[in-house]
């Protein structure tokens, strides 16, 4: 029986606990939070053996094989490091670490100790993402991707999360190098990283504070971001994060030399885009009919999955957890190659390094960045 | 109020948490109207503070109203806010929060911080914990029986599938624990559904609009309404009257309408919409099925509807305000008819501006 522990008992801990309990061959031996009441409430609601408010007590008493680190991002590195030093495999929620250098150090430590780590990029393991991966691997695109577009949006309104974040000048999100973006964009960036082959793509980023946030007196939380990523001039990608555009898309488009694919995360649909065109008016009538057919097919797939109780909102997380545990027990490769975790962190570092922080002029920066690229 | 039966004098410091909220802002008004001159209003920096600031301006010459900006999650803020306080009216809570950890954090961790801070100063005479009807289980009780303060509270609040219920039960637990362990003087107030301008939704006890059409689930049930000003009045009394430490008080108005009567009035006064009546046996069956499906599917659908929630929300019950009338001398100041008139007006304005 694989012994699992959870460190950090906030909102996302519920998803982890409920998906872990669906995975066979494991048990949650302990949960831990600096705030004992938070640890206790998770312990009371899920089948958990013990609760702790101190990390080393958890590690020494519950002796977990795997630890899920789901604390605020700025603590990921330190906590994951301690867990690795105690001989535990580690699942770290996104963003894996605050910087590429931190990510590199964690992976090196894991390798040194013969342990495994993974990042919480669970969106990449939803049913639809797995269908896309299978198609790409089967050669549907007709070669390496030529271009990709990843949209990862977030609806920020005047209340809720935005309200709390805007009013609290000490909110932990503000302490992250990429602030709000740092906490959100890794899912969308990781999708691009999966299909990039070079280890150091060029990154050109443009970000600004939306008029909505500016109107609320905010000057440092950038919530609009456009990025161009270029992989040695072979594969390119656009990444878009927006808090204001509607619909707030979570989409990934990938175009190969022959065909393309469009993944819609919210609706869990995958649409195949045919490269070749039909002649004359046939192009106007047949493809729309085929598109309608594809939509129906997606509907059927989703319904079927739902009926066989395999369509949970967090099914990607369950799949990732299951695959990670299997890689530990059966000594097989980890579900997310370390190359992808590092590349995601590297692209994010490059984005944040270019963003205007407090008071600088985004427009000037864009112009100079464009010049750099053109030259 | 007779001054010889009161716990504090008009100049003693009173702390109100959740002061910028729906009920909190009315409580501040109520205390000012009652002649209390030294109020500390706790609000988060993000709270809409306009109402308290307006009150503060209005009562500038007669009262000292301090708006304390902070977060009850911070023990330091709690320590500073509770200094020299004689009575705490604790209304802050995560109402409407769907996530269990968030609801818990902003209702229970906050309450613990406040209790700890109060012990630190040692000057507190009363801690009024504002709870809710959601804490009652209502399970092992025959239909139409009276739900009063003696009824049991939910033993397995996590199984209700409602983060707010879980948090409020745990909040009460921690208050009573501090009462027992440290002799902290507390009173618990459990309002029914508080309505009025500022809370214009239709309570789930009447029905739900989640599935595109309004499902009317309440039928002939009485709805435990209390108009916001009446509720604020009850909370104020619970903090000010002597000799009620450790007591629990339910707050509901007189002449409660049935769910059907309410819905008819709402449609006539605010807006027309289609609703489908779901008889009690059917709604019970559907809740049970949902519960079974949620379990069988390992949570593919969250257990939002289940038998516990049915018993709490949609089982026929009678309610009583006898205890609060007798022990605190509470009387319904705003008649139910007037309350609904003001509430429907606010609803109409909201519908028009939408
Ligand atoms: N409304 C009802 O029908 C009803 C019925 C029964 C019982 N109650 C109880 O009555 C009390 C007041 O309810 P309400 O209807 O007035 O709700 P409300 O309008 O949502 O007010 C709750 C207040 O709590 C504040 N708060 C939440 N977390 C906080 C934190 N961490 N630190 C400081 N303040 C925090 C909120 O601040 P922000 O303004 O910054 O969000 C808000 O002002 C609650 O305890 C509720 O459970 C209400």
């Amino acid at each position: 029986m694989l012994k699992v522990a959870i460190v950090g008992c906030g909102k996302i801990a519920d998803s982890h606990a409920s998906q872990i309990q669906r995975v066979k061959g494991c048990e949650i031996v302990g949960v831990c939070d600096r705030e004992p009441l938070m640890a206790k409430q998770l312990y009371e609601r899920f089948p958990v053996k013990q609760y702790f408010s101190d990390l080393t007590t958890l590690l020494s008493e519950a002796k977990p094989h795997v630890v899920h680190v789901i604390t605020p991002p700025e603590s990921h590195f330190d906590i994951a490091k301690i867990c690795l030093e105690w001989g535990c495999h580690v699942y770290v929620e996104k963003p894996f670490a605050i910087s590429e250098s931190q990510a590199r150090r964690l992976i090196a430590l894991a390798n040194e100790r013969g342990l495994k780590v993974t990042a919480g990029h669970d969106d990449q393991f939803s049913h639809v993402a797995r269908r896309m991966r299978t198609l790409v691997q089967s050669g549907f695109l007709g070669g390496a991707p030529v271009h990709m577009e990843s949209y990862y949006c977030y609806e920020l309104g005047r209340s809720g999360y935005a309200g709390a974040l805007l009013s609290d000048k000490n909110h932990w999100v503000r302490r992250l190098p990429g602030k709000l973006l740092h906490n959100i964009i890794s899912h969308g960036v990781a999708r691009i990283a999966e299909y990039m082959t070079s280890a150091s793509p060029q990154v050109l980023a443009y970000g600004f504070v939306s008029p909505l946030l500016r109107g609320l007196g905010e000057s440092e939380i950038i919530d609009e971001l456009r990025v161009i990523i270029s992989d040695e001039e072979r594969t390119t990608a656009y990444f878009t994060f927006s808090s204001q555009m509607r619909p707030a898309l979570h989409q990934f488009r990938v175009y190969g030399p022959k065909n393309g694919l469009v993944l819609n995360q919210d609706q869990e649909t995958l649409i195949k885009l045919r490269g070749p065109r039909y002649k004359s008016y046939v192009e106007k009538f047949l493809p729309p009919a085929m598109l309608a057919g594809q939509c129906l097919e997606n509907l059927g797939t989703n319904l079927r999955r739902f009926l066989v109780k395999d369509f949970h909102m967090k099914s990607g997380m369950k799949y990732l957890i299951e695959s990670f545990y299997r890689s530990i027990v059966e000594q097989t490769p980890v579900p997310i190659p370390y190359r992808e975790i590092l590349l995601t962190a590297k692209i994010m570092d490059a984005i944040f390094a270019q963003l205007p922080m407090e008071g600088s002029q985004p427009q000037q920066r864009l112009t100079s960045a464009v010049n750099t690229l053109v030259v | 109020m007779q001054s010889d039966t009161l716990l504090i004098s008009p100049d003693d410091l009173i702390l109100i948490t959740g002061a910028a909220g729906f009920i909190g802002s009315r409580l501040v008004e109520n205390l000012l109207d009652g002649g209390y001159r030294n109020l500390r209003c706790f609000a988060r920096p993000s709270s809409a503070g306009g109402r308290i600031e307006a009150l503060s301006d209005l009562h500038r010459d007669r009262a000292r109203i301090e708006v304390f900006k902070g977060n009850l999650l911070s023990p330091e803020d709690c320590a500073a806010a509770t200094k020299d306080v004689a009575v705490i009216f604790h209304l802050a809570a995560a109402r409407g929060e769907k996530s269990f950890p968030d609801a818990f954090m902003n209702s229970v961790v906050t309450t613990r911080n406040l209790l700890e801070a109060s012990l630190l100063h040692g000057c507190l005479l009363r801690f009024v914990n504002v709870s809710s009807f959601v804490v009652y289980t209502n399970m092992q009780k025959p239909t139409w029986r009276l739900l009063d303060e003696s009824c049991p509270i939910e033993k397995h609040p996590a199984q209700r599938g409602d983060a707010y219920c879980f948090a409020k039960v745990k909040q009460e637990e921690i208050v009573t624990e501090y009462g027992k362990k440290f002799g902290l003087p507390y009173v618990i107030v459990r309002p029914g559904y508080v309505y009025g301008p500022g809370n214009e939704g239709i309570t789930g006890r009447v029905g739900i609009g989640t599935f595109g059409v309004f499902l009317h689930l309440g039928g002939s049930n009485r709805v435990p309404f209390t108009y916001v000003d009446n509720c604020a009045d009850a909370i104020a009394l619970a903090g000010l009257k002597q000799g009620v430490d450790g007591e629990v008080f339910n707050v509901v108005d007189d002449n409660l309408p049935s769910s059907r009567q309410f819905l008819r009035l709402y449609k006539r006064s605010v807006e027309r919409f289609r609703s489908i009546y779901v008889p009690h046996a059917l709604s019970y069956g559907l809740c049970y099925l949902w519960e079974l499906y949620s379990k069988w599917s390992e949570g593919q659908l969250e257990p939002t509807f289940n038998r516990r929630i049915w018993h709490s929300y949609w089982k026929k019950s009678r309610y009583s305000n006898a205890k609060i009338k007798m022990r605190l001398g509470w009387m319904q100041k705003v008649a139910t008819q007037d309350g609904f008139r003001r509430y429907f007006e606010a609803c109409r304005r909201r519908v028009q501006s939408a």
Side-chain angles (χ1 to χ4, degrees):
Chain A
M1 189 65 89
L2 200 65
K3 295 200 275 181
V4 183
I6 294 176
V7 179
C9 300
K11 200 168 185 164
I12 192 72
D14 274 30
S15 303
H16 280 257
S18 46
Q19 297 313 313
I20 294 169
Q21 66 172 355
R22 294 181 58 221
V23 174
K24 293 205 171 61
C26 67
E27 59 176 348
I28 308 178
V29 291
V31 294
C32 177
D33 197 291
R34 257 201 320 220
E35 170 52 69
L37 285 177
M38 290 306 289
K40 189 168 174 229
Q41 60 81 29
L42 192 67
Y43 160 84
E44 284 179 349
R45 291 185 296 114
F46 289 93
V48 172
K49 291 226 159 119
Q50 282 172 284
Y51 69 92
F52 303 87
S53 57
D54 176 67
L55 178 60
T56 46
T57 318
L58 162 89
L59 295 170
S60 63
E61 287 185 14
K63 297 188 173 53
H65 299 120
V66 189
V67 179
H68 288 235
V69 178
I70 45 184
T71 51
E74 54 185 356
S75 60
H76 284 179
F77 176 78
D78 289 337
I79 295 176
K81 184 165 167 279
I82 294 172
C83 295
L84 287 167
E85 284 165 353
W86 274 77
C88 305
H89 305 275
V90 183
Y91 177 127
V92 190
E93 248 312 329
K94 54 88 204 169
F96 184 71
I98 289 301
S99 63
E100 192 221 355
S101 95
Q102 281 191 352
R104 200 170 281 287
R105 278 154 64 200
L106 284 182
I107 288 172
L109 182 60
N111 285 336
E112 206 176 281
R113 308 252 164 162
L115 298 165
K116 291 184 169 166
V117 293
T118 199
H121 298 158
D122 52 278
D123 273 0
Q124 277 173 281
F125 296 89
S126 62
H127 289 291
V128 68
R130 282 184 272 144
R131 287 210 307 271
M132 172 181 251
R133 188 168 301 123
T134 309
L135 271 174
V136 173
Q137 283 166 356
S138 73
F140 177 79
L141 298 178
V146 175
H147 183 63
M148 294 174 266
E149 284 171 39
S150 178
Y151 290 89
Y152 207 84
C153 298
Y154 189 85
E155 281 190 45
L156 264 190
R158 275 162 208 276
S159 57
Y161 186 61
L165 179 59
L166 297 181
S167 64
D168 186 355
K169 295 291 171 204
N170 294 318
H171 199 287
W172 58 263
V173 163
R174 291 181 185 271
R175 294 197 293 272
L176 301 173
K179 303 205 162 54
L180 176 72
L181 300 172
H182 215 138
N183 197 34
I184 300 179
I185 66 173
S186 41
H187 281 305
V189 174
R191 285 199 196 286
I192 294 173
E194 180 177 353
Y195 296 106
M196 287 260 161
T197 47
S198 112
S200 299
Q202 267 186 291
V203 176
L204 178 67
Y206 174 57
F208 57 95
V209 183
S210 70
L212 178 95
L213 291 204
R214 261 187 280 131
L216 295 172
E218 181 59 55
S219 61
E220 63 172 22
I221 299 283
I222 292 172
D223 60 332
E224 291 292 326
L225 174 70
R226 316 289 180 259
V227 184
I228 301 176
I229 304 164
S230 164
D231 188 357
E232 288 162 7
E233 299 185 351
R234 266 183 288 129
T235 303
T236 55
Y238 295 161
F239 174 73
T240 301
F241 172 86
S242 173
S243 77
Q244 302 303 315
M245 69 178 242
R246 298 291 179 270
L249 294 180
H250 298 94
Q251 258 193 25
F252 182 62
R253 298 163 171 255
V254 54
Y255 308 93
K258 283 204 178 130
N259 299 308
L261 289 165
V262 180
L263 175 155
N264 185 323
Q265 183 64 49
D266 299 315
Q267 293 158 8
E268 289 238 15
T269 56
L270 182 66
I271 299 293
K272 295 179 196 157
L273 305 174
R274 273 185 84 254
R277 285 170 185 274
Y278 289 101
K279 290 235 165 71
S280 181
Y281 276 99
V282 184
E283 179 68 11
K284 313 256 181 248
F285 300 120
L286 197 53
M290 286 160 66
L291 183 63
Q294 285 198 60
C295 289
L296 277 177
E297 211 178 294
N298 274 292
L299 170 68
T301 309
N302 290 354
L303 272 175
R304 237 184 351 264
R305 292 231 169 273
F306 187 83
L307 291 176
V308 297
K309 56 168 176 164
D310 186 21
F311 205 56
H312 296 69
M313 289 292 180
K314 283 282 174 193
S315 61
M317 183 183 278
K318 187 203 172 207
Y319 191 91
L320 174 58
I321 293 174
E322 215 163 24
S323 314
F324 183 54
Y325 291 179
R326 199 177 316 116
S327 79
I328 293 166
V329 175
E330 297 174 8
Q331 307 278 334
T332 50
V334 283
I336 304 179
Y338 294 158
R339 184 198 72 82
E340 269 175 56
I341 297 179
L342 291 172
L343 186 55
T344 303
K346 187 170 206 157
I347 294 173
M348 286 172 64
D349 278 0
I351 291 172
F352 304 141
Q354 293 172 53
L355 292 185
M357 292 301 165
E358 275 274 52
S360 70
Q361 299 294 316
Q363 197 53 51
Q364 277 172 13
R365 278 177 172 264
L366 177 71
T367 320
S368 58
V370 169
N371 289 343
T372 322
L373 197 77
V374 172
V375 169
Chain B
M1 258 184 267
Q2 277 185 321
S3 59
D4 57 337
T5 62
L6 294 178
L7 193 65
I8 57 170
S9 74
D11 290 310
D12 286 331
L13 183 58
I14 297 175
L15 171 69
I16 303 111
T17 73
F22 169 55
I23 306 173
S25 53
R26 306 306 176 98
L27 176 63
V28 172
E29 219 168 321
N30 183 292
L31 291 168
L32 288 169
D33 290 346
Y36 289 89
R37 296 189 281 259
N38 196 4
L39 308 186
R40 185 175 285 161
C41 301
F42 197 108
R44 285 193 285 198
S46 54
S47 303
R51 201 178 167 113
I52 301 182
E53 262 108 54
L55 281 173
S56 174
D57 286 346
L58 200 70
H59 293 259
R60 185 169 308 237
D61 304 333
R62 282 163 286 160
R64 186 176 168 274
I65 305 175
E66 177 195 350
V67 180
F68 188 105
K69 292 273 178 187
N71 194 320
L72 294 172
L73 287 172
S74 150
E76 295 76 33
D77 287 354
C78 289
T82 48
K83 191 162 181 291
D84 302 327
V85 167
V87 174
I88 297 178
F89 290 99
H90 179 39
L91 287 89
R95 192 166 66 88
E97 177 58 62
K98 299 275 182 278
S99 140
F100 277 78
D102 281 357
F104 185 88
M105 199 163 67
N106 286 304
S107 305
V108 188
V109 177
T110 47
T111 302
R112 192 274 323 270
N113 289 348
L114 204 55
L115 293 165
E116 281 289 332
S118 313
L119 291 179
L120 203 73
H121 301 304
C123 54
L124 189 72
L125 298 176
R126 177 145 321 145
F127 186 94
V128 180
N129 181 59
V130 179
S131 184
S132 163
F133 261 36
V134 295
V135 301
Y136 289 114
T137 158
N138 215 12
M139 285 268 283
Q140 273 92 32
K141 190 169 76 58
T143 300
W144 280 127
R145 247 205 43 197
L146 186 71
L147 187 143
D148 63 11
E149 291 85 347
S150 66
C151 287
I153 63 170
E154 188 63 81
K155 274 210 184 72
H156 306 284
Q159 290 175 19
R160 179 83 73 84
D162 173 10
Y164 177 64
C165 165
F166 179 74
K168 292 307 269 188
V169 170
K170 294 289 165 187
Q171 183 181 335
E172 276 203 17
E173 266 176 26
I174 206 157
V175 172
T176 41
E177 184 192 320
Y178 271 71
K180 276 199 196 114
K181 249 198 204 159
F182 306 107
L184 188 120
Y186 71 88
V187 169
I188 291 175
V189 180
R190 295 180 187 147
Y193 182 78
V194 187
Y195 74 102
N199 188 21
E200 289 93 4
I202 297 180
T203 164
R205 289 176 186 274
V206 172
I208 46 171
T210 320
F211 303 103
V213 54
F214 190 86
L215 300 180
H216 176 209
L217 300 162
S220 56
N221 292 1
R222 297 272 155 219
V223 183
F225 282 116
T226 170
Y227 185 69
V228 62
D229 290 350
N230 297 332
C231 178
D233 203 28
I235 295 171
L237 286 168
L240 301 171
K241 281 267 172 160
Q242 285 181 354
V244 288
D245 284 338
E247 294 288 347
V248 175
F249 295 102
N250 284 356
V251 188
V252 281
D253 286 350
D254 299 318
N255 307 318
L256 298 175
S258 73
S259 171
R260 186 167 288 117
Q261 286 165 335
F262 169 82
L263 197 60
R264 202 174 297 138
L265 272 174
Y266 185 94
K267 287 182 182 178
R268 200 183 302 151
S269 317
V270 183
E271 60 173 339
R272 302 233 156 246
F273 56 86
R274 242 170 65 89
S275 61
I276 297 173
Y277 173 59
V278 184
H280 284 93
L282 184 57
S283 63
Y284 181 83
L286 290 173
C287 283
Y288 192 16
L289 276 180
W290 190 293
E291 181 183 331
L292 290 177
Y293 179 80
S294 176
K295 207 165 173 185
W296 172 78
S297 68
E298 298 177 333
Q300 185 165 260
L301 284 183
E302 295 287 329
T304 320
F305 299 101
N306 54 61
R307 283 170 298 166
R308 283 177 193 278
I309 217 149
W310 185 88
H311 280 278
S312 165
Y313 268 54
W314 300 304
K315 182 174 175 173
K316 289 188 200 323
S317 291
R318 287 179 299 120
Y319 306 99
S320 161
N321 50 23
K323 183 174 175 187
I324 196 166
K325 281 182 171 166
M326 198 170 71
R327 299 291 304 277
L328 296 181
W330 175 81
M331 277 180 332
Q332 180 177 343
K333 286 191 183 146
V334 179
T336 304
Q337 229 184 357
D338 290 338
F340 277 122
R341 190 178 37 74
R342 295 183 207 174
Y343 164 72
F344 289 141
E345 260 168 39
C347 293
R348 259 198 313 273
R349 276 196 300 275
R350 169 154 294 205
V351 167
Q352 279 157 9
S353 68

